[in-house]
Amino acid sequence: MGSGRLILVPTPIGNLEDITLRAVRVLREADAVVAEDTRVSGRLLQHLGIKKPMHSFHTANEHRTVDALVERMQQGHALALVSDAGTPGISDPGFLLVRACIQAEIPVECLPGPTAFVPALVMSGLPCERFLFEGFLPQKKGRRTRLEALREEPRTIVLYESPHRLLKLLGELIEVLGPERIASVSRELSKLHEETVRGTLSELQAHFTERPPKGEFVVCIGGA
Ligand code: SAM
């Protein structure tokens, strides 16, 4: 591909048709693909008929891998960064590498593409002109403090949550924001069992108590 640079390439969050033509071209032309999980991204590349050298870049190794990747780009390699799903850097590794590239004056591009919070926010029916993306709350230390800080937030709040913590999260949100706060829960976006449930926090809690949460979730909460 020529001159050294970093290109962040969003990949599907479920439906493989959501990869863009440009993403496919960039993956095909890159000198190597830097992936959160080389097996997951290897399957996507195989599906696209692309064979590329791959490097791994995940939360456990990102601090010690950044310098070697920067060096490669300084040697003229164009590296495509992908995560397991969606846009790298959004609740996924990416930020450290972007920052290191900027510091080293290596060009950075991010292709527009799939990410879970945008369709969830738009389909929530809550105001989406201004919003706060919180991603995952801390699992233990600091979780309550972050929740409390959201109490007076006037903008729509967007959270990511795993299926086994969804009911815990809804319970905590009821405690902190009250049972009547309007919210929405989107799951399995772009997949066969995609669903968005809207209502008060207590209605959502009742819904998912009856139907145990399965899949991946985005929670949107109306502002104060
Ligand atoms: N980089 C991704 C993005 O751009 O959205 C986010 C990666 S983060 C590790 C994974 C979380 O994103 C999941 O726990 C879930 O909250 C959300 N997510 C990813 N795919 C989803 C989908 N198809 N439906 C609903 N939520 C999804």
Side-chain angles (χ1 to χ4, degrees), residues 183-210:
S184 81
V185 174
S186 293
R187 69 177 199 102
E188 299 290 82
L189 291 160
S190 83
K191 302 185 194 178
L192 193 60
H193 300 291
E194 169 169 342
E195 161 180 54
T196 293
V197 189
R198 305 171 185 85
T200 63
L201 286 171
S202 64
E203 286 165 349
L204 293 169
Q205 187 187 45
H207 177 96
F208 286 104
T209 303
E210 247 173 64

Short mmCIF file of all heavy atoms in Angstrom, two decimals, residues 183-210:
data_model
loop_
_atom_site.label_atom_id
_atom_site.label_comp_id
_atom_site.label_asym_id
_atom_site.label_seq_id
_atom_site.Cartn_x
_atom_site.Cartn_y
_atom_site.Cartn_z
N ALA A 183 -36.35 4.59 29.26
CA ALA A 183 -35.12 4.01 28.73
C ALA A 183 -35.45 3.05 27.58
O ALA A 183 -36.62 2.81 27.28
CB ALA A 183 -34.38 3.27 29.85
N SER A 184 -34.40 2.53 26.97
CA SER A 184 -34.60 1.49 25.95
C SER A 184 -33.44 0.51 26.04
O SER A 184 -32.34 0.86 26.46
CB SER A 184 -34.68 2.09 24.55
OG SER A 184 -33.39 2.34 24.08
N VAL A 185 -33.74 -0.74 25.68
CA VAL A 185 -32.69 -1.76 25.65
C VAL A 185 -32.72 -2.39 24.26
O VAL A 185 -33.75 -2.89 23.81
CB VAL A 185 -32.94 -2.85 26.72
CG1 VAL A 185 -31.93 -3.98 26.58
CG2 VAL A 185 -32.86 -2.26 28.12
N SER A 186 -31.58 -2.30 23.56
CA SER A 186 -31.48 -2.92 22.23
C SER A 186 -30.55 -4.12 22.33
O SER A 186 -29.49 -4.04 22.95
CB SER A 186 -30.89 -1.95 21.20
OG SER A 186 -31.78 -0.90 20.97
N ARG A 187 -30.96 -5.22 21.70
CA ARG A 187 -30.08 -6.39 21.74
C ARG A 187 -29.94 -6.98 20.34
O ARG A 187 -30.82 -6.80 19.48
CB ARG A 187 -30.57 -7.42 22.74
CG ARG A 187 -31.86 -8.09 22.35
CD ARG A 187 -32.24 -9.16 23.36
NE ARG A 187 -33.18 -10.06 22.75
CZ ARG A 187 -32.88 -11.27 22.27
NH1 ARG A 187 -31.67 -11.74 22.37
NH2 ARG A 187 -33.80 -12.00 21.69
N GLU A 188 -28.82 -7.66 20.13
CA GLU A 188 -28.59 -8.41 18.89
C GLU A 188 -28.76 -7.54 17.64
O GLU A 188 -29.35 -7.97 16.65
CB GLU A 188 -29.50 -9.63 18.85
CG GLU A 188 -29.26 -10.61 19.98
CD GLU A 188 -27.94 -11.34 19.85
OE1 GLU A 188 -26.90 -10.77 20.23
OE2 GLU A 188 -27.93 -12.47 19.34
N LEU A 189 -28.27 -6.29 17.71
CA LEU A 189 -28.41 -5.36 16.59
C LEU A 189 -27.83 -5.96 15.32
O LEU A 189 -26.73 -6.54 15.35
CB LEU A 189 -27.69 -4.05 16.93
CG LEU A 189 -28.37 -3.24 18.04
CD1 LEU A 189 -27.40 -2.25 18.66
CD2 LEU A 189 -29.59 -2.51 17.49
N SER A 190 -28.57 -5.83 14.26
CA SER A 190 -28.20 -6.30 12.91
C SER A 190 -28.25 -7.83 12.78
O SER A 190 -27.92 -8.36 11.73
CB SER A 190 -26.83 -5.76 12.44
OG SER A 190 -25.77 -6.55 12.95
N LYS A 191 -28.65 -8.52 13.86
CA LYS A 191 -28.70 -9.99 13.82
C LYS A 191 -30.15 -10.47 13.71
O LYS A 191 -31.09 -9.68 13.81
CB LYS A 191 -28.07 -10.58 15.08
CG LYS A 191 -26.61 -10.16 15.29
CD LYS A 191 -26.02 -10.88 16.48
CE LYS A 191 -24.71 -10.23 16.89
NZ LYS A 191 -24.13 -10.84 18.06
N LEU A 192 -30.31 -11.77 13.58
CA LEU A 192 -31.63 -12.39 13.39
C LEU A 192 -32.61 -12.02 14.50
O LEU A 192 -33.78 -11.73 14.26
CB LEU A 192 -31.44 -13.92 13.36
CG LEU A 192 -32.60 -14.75 12.88
CD1 LEU A 192 -32.99 -14.38 11.46
CD2 LEU A 192 -32.25 -16.24 12.97
N HIS A 193 -32.15 -12.02 15.76
CA HIS A 193 -33.05 -11.79 16.89
C HIS A 193 -32.96 -10.37 17.42
O HIS A 193 -33.16 -10.12 18.61
CB HIS A 193 -32.80 -12.82 17.99
CG HIS A 193 -33.03 -14.22 17.52
ND1 HIS A 193 -34.28 -14.70 17.21
CD2 HIS A 193 -32.16 -15.23 17.24
CE1 HIS A 193 -34.18 -15.95 16.78
NE2 HIS A 193 -32.90 -16.29 16.79
N GLU A 194 -32.67 -9.42 16.51
CA GLU A 194 -32.60 -8.01 16.93
C GLU A 194 -33.92 -7.57 17.55
O GLU A 194 -35.00 -7.92 17.08
CB GLU A 194 -32.29 -7.12 15.70
CG GLU A 194 -32.47 -5.65 16.01
CD GLU A 194 -31.94 -4.70 14.96
OE1 GLU A 194 -31.13 -5.10 14.11
OE2 GLU A 194 -32.35 -3.54 15.00
N GLU A 195 -33.79 -6.80 18.63
CA GLU A 195 -35.00 -6.35 19.33
C GLU A 195 -34.68 -5.09 20.11
O GLU A 195 -33.60 -4.97 20.69
CB GLU A 195 -35.41 -7.50 20.27
CG GLU A 195 -36.33 -7.14 21.39
CD GLU A 195 -36.67 -8.34 22.27
OE1 GLU A 195 -35.73 -9.01 22.77
OE2 GLU A 195 -37.86 -8.58 22.47
N THR A 196 -35.60 -4.13 20.11
CA THR A 196 -35.47 -2.96 20.98
C THR A 196 -36.72 -2.87 21.84
O THR A 196 -37.83 -2.87 21.33
CB THR A 196 -35.28 -1.66 20.15
OG1 THR A 196 -34.00 -1.72 19.49
CG2 THR A 196 -35.30 -0.41 21.03
N VAL A 197 -36.51 -2.86 23.15
CA VAL A 197 -37.62 -2.77 24.10
C VAL A 197 -37.55 -1.39 24.75
O VAL A 197 -36.49 -0.98 25.22
CB VAL A 197 -37.50 -3.87 25.20
CG1 VAL A 197 -38.76 -3.92 26.04
CG2 VAL A 197 -37.23 -5.22 24.57
N ARG A 198 -38.69 -0.69 24.76
CA ARG A 198 -38.73 0.67 25.31
C ARG A 198 -39.71 0.73 26.47
O ARG A 198 -40.72 0.04 26.46
CB ARG A 198 -39.16 1.67 24.23
CG ARG A 198 -38.29 1.63 22.97
CD ARG A 198 -38.89 2.46 21.85
NE ARG A 198 -38.12 2.31 20.62
CZ ARG A 198 -38.31 1.31 19.74
NH1 ARG A 198 -39.23 0.39 19.96
NH2 ARG A 198 -37.56 1.24 18.65
N GLY A 199 -39.42 1.56 27.45
CA GLY A 199 -40.35 1.71 28.58
C GLY A 199 -39.65 2.36 29.76
O GLY A 199 -38.53 2.86 29.63
N THR A 200 -40.32 2.31 30.93
CA THR A 200 -39.66 2.83 32.13
C THR A 200 -38.63 1.78 32.58
O THR A 200 -38.71 0.60 32.18
CB THR A 200 -40.66 3.06 33.28
OG1 THR A 200 -41.22 1.79 33.62
CG2 THR A 200 -41.77 4.01 32.87
N LEU A 201 -37.72 2.20 33.44
CA LEU A 201 -36.71 1.24 33.92
C LEU A 201 -37.38 0.06 34.61
O LEU A 201 -36.95 -1.08 34.44
CB LEU A 201 -35.73 1.94 34.87
CG LEU A 201 -34.72 2.88 34.21
CD1 LEU A 201 -33.96 3.67 35.27
CD2 LEU A 201 -33.72 2.10 33.33
N SER A 202 -38.46 0.31 35.35
CA SER A 202 -39.11 -0.83 36.04
C SER A 202 -39.81 -1.74 35.04
O SER A 202 -39.83 -2.97 35.22
CB SER A 202 -40.03 -0.37 37.18
OG SER A 202 -41.08 0.36 36.66
N GLU A 203 -40.38 -1.19 33.95
CA GLU A 203 -40.99 -2.04 32.92
C GLU A 203 -39.92 -2.89 32.23
O GLU A 203 -40.13 -4.08 31.94
CB GLU A 203 -41.72 -1.18 31.88
CG GLU A 203 -43.04 -0.61 32.40
CD GLU A 203 -43.61 0.51 31.53
OE1 GLU A 203 -42.92 1.02 30.62
OE2 GLU A 203 -44.77 0.89 31.77
N LEU A 204 -38.76 -2.28 31.99
CA LEU A 204 -37.67 -3.04 31.34
C LEU A 204 -37.17 -4.15 32.27
O LEU A 204 -36.88 -5.27 31.83
CB LEU A 204 -36.53 -2.10 30.94
CG LEU A 204 -36.88 -1.11 29.83
CD1 LEU A 204 -35.81 -0.05 29.68
CD2 LEU A 204 -37.07 -1.85 28.51
N GLN A 205 -37.09 -3.84 33.54
CA GLN A 205 -36.65 -4.85 34.52
C GLN A 205 -37.64 -6.03 34.51
O GLN A 205 -37.22 -7.19 34.50
CB GLN A 205 -36.57 -4.22 35.91
CG GLN A 205 -35.96 -5.13 36.95
CD GLN A 205 -36.06 -4.51 38.34
OE1 GLN A 205 -37.11 -3.98 38.72
NE2 GLN A 205 -34.98 -4.58 39.09
N ALA A 206 -38.94 -5.71 34.50
CA ALA A 206 -39.96 -6.77 34.50
C ALA A 206 -39.84 -7.60 33.21
O ALA A 206 -39.89 -8.84 33.25
CB ALA A 206 -41.34 -6.15 34.61
N HIS A 207 -39.64 -6.92 32.07
CA HIS A 207 -39.54 -7.61 30.78
C HIS A 207 -38.38 -8.61 30.80
O HIS A 207 -38.55 -9.78 30.41
CB HIS A 207 -39.32 -6.57 29.67
CG HIS A 207 -39.12 -7.16 28.31
ND1 HIS A 207 -40.15 -7.31 27.40
CD2 HIS A 207 -38.02 -7.68 27.70
CE1 HIS A 207 -39.69 -7.88 26.31
NE2 HIS A 207 -38.40 -8.12 26.46
N PHE A 208 -37.21 -8.16 31.26
CA PHE A 208 -36.04 -9.05 31.19
C PHE A 208 -35.96 -10.03 32.37
O PHE A 208 -35.15 -10.95 32.35
CB PHE A 208 -34.74 -8.23 31.03
CG PHE A 208 -34.63 -7.67 29.63
CD1 PHE A 208 -34.89 -6.33 29.38
CD2 PHE A 208 -34.33 -8.49 28.55
CE1 PHE A 208 -34.82 -5.83 28.08
CE2 PHE A 208 -34.28 -8.00 27.25
CZ PHE A 208 -34.52 -6.67 27.02
N THR A 209 -36.80 -9.83 33.36
CA THR A 209 -36.91 -10.84 34.42
C THR A 209 -37.70 -12.02 33.87
O THR A 209 -37.38 -13.18 34.12
CB THR A 209 -37.58 -10.25 35.68
OG1 THR A 209 -36.82 -9.11 36.08
CG2 THR A 209 -37.63 -11.25 36.81
N GLU A 210 -38.72 -11.68 33.08
CA GLU A 210 -39.55 -12.74 32.46
C GLU A 210 -38.81 -13.46 31.34
O GLU A 210 -38.98 -14.65 31.14
CB GLU A 210 -40.80 -12.09 31.86
CG GLU A 210 -42.08 -12.48 32.57
CD GLU A 210 -43.24 -11.67 32.04
OE1 GLU A 210 -43.56 -11.82 30.84
OE2 GLU A 210 -43.80 -10.87 32.81
#
